[in-house]
Amino acid sequence: MTKKFVLGIYDDEDVLLQAIENVRAAGTNIYEVFSPYPVHGIDDVLGIKRSRLPIVAFFCGLFGTSFALWMQIWMLGFDWPMIIGGKPHISLPAFIPVTFELTVLCAAFGMVITFFIVTKLKPSFKVNVFDKRSTDDKFVMAIEVKEGVTDMSALNNLLRTNGAIEVNEKEVSK
């Protein structure tokens, strides 16, 4: 299955940000914007919502804390109780290092696994690069072309009037 895209190539991030605002105001849906480095404020201009990944991290960390405390209390208090140095079986101050480590471990793994599931990232040998210059010094705005719906000349004109130094078409297999 191949999809067709129109690529607007920009050489300045300020021009790109203004172009994104104008293209979205014109009612055109932007598929993706590629940049050689992070651009401050591009998420807001593109309308990308704040990530819910910190919520996942909190609940995975809470699970790690609960599991660590349950595991230590069960093992040292009920399953195999041993009196060591006269301390009680359930000694919470002694449980802090293991609890901290399992909290961090569960939060980290939970975030990574959730990120891969949500973004549908998987191992692949073929990487679709829209324009190789987007990894060096150019900014690329990709707009998906829908057959029979998208007016190519109007889209080309819209990108050029908003500062695109070059407008290309590219077919990408998904």
Side-chain angles (χ1 to χ4, degrees):
M1 176 174 144
T2 62
K3 290 186 177 184
K4 191 173 183 181
F5 293 94
V6 172
L7 306 176
I9 313 291
Y10 295 86
D11 60 354
D12 185 21
E13 68 182 68
D14 295 326
V15 174
L16 173 73
L17 290 174
Q18 188 62 40
I20 292 171
E21 288 179 0
N22 294 339
V23 168
R24 288 190 69 215
T28 304
N29 188 22
I30 299 172
Y31 177 76
E32 187 66 75
V33 175
F34 302 96
S35 169
Y37 54 84
V39 177
H40 180 70
I42 198 166
D43 293 342
D44 298 329
V45 175
L46 283 170
I48 296 174
K49 296 178 185 172
R50 185 177 158 95
S51 173
R52 293 187 303 256
L53 203 54
I55 296 169
V56 172
F58 174 75
F59 283 111
C60 289
L62 188 63
F63 169 76
T65 300
S66 303
F67 178 70
L69 289 174
W70 172 82
M71 176 186 69
Q72 293 174 94
I73 289 170
W74 170 253
M75 287 190 310
L76 299 174
F78 300 104
D79 186 38
W80 194 265
M82 293 194 296
I83 299 174
I84 301 172
K87 71 176 184 166
H89 297 300
I90 300 171
S91 176
L92 291 178
F95 296 167
I96 289 175
V98 173
T99 303
F100 173 77
E101 294 298 331
L102 271 175
T103 300
V104 172
L105 181 73
C106 288
F109 277 134
M111 282 192 309
V112 169
I113 291 167
T114 303
F115 176 77
F116 283 138
I117 290 170
V118 168
T119 58
K120 298 176 184 146
L121 285 176
K122 56 187 179 283
S124 174
F125 291 111
K126 183 174 179 356
V127 177
N128 291 324
V129 178
F130 283 82
D131 193 306
K132 290 185 181 185
R133 295 175 292 176
S134 68
T135 62
D136 188 24
D137 62 347
K138 301 292 182 206
F139 302 92
V140 178
M141 181 190 312
I143 299 172
E144 186 175 354
V145 175
K146 296 187 177 19
E147 295 298 324
V149 177
T150 306
D151 182 10
M152 295 298 287
S153 62
L155 185 56
N156 190 346
N157 188 31
L158 177 66
L159 291 174
R160 288 206 184 270
T161 56
N162 283 296
I165 58 171
E166 192 177 318
V167 177
N168 300 325
E169 294 179 24
K170 181 164 184 166
E171 286 192 18
V172 175
S173 61
K174 289 280 177 177

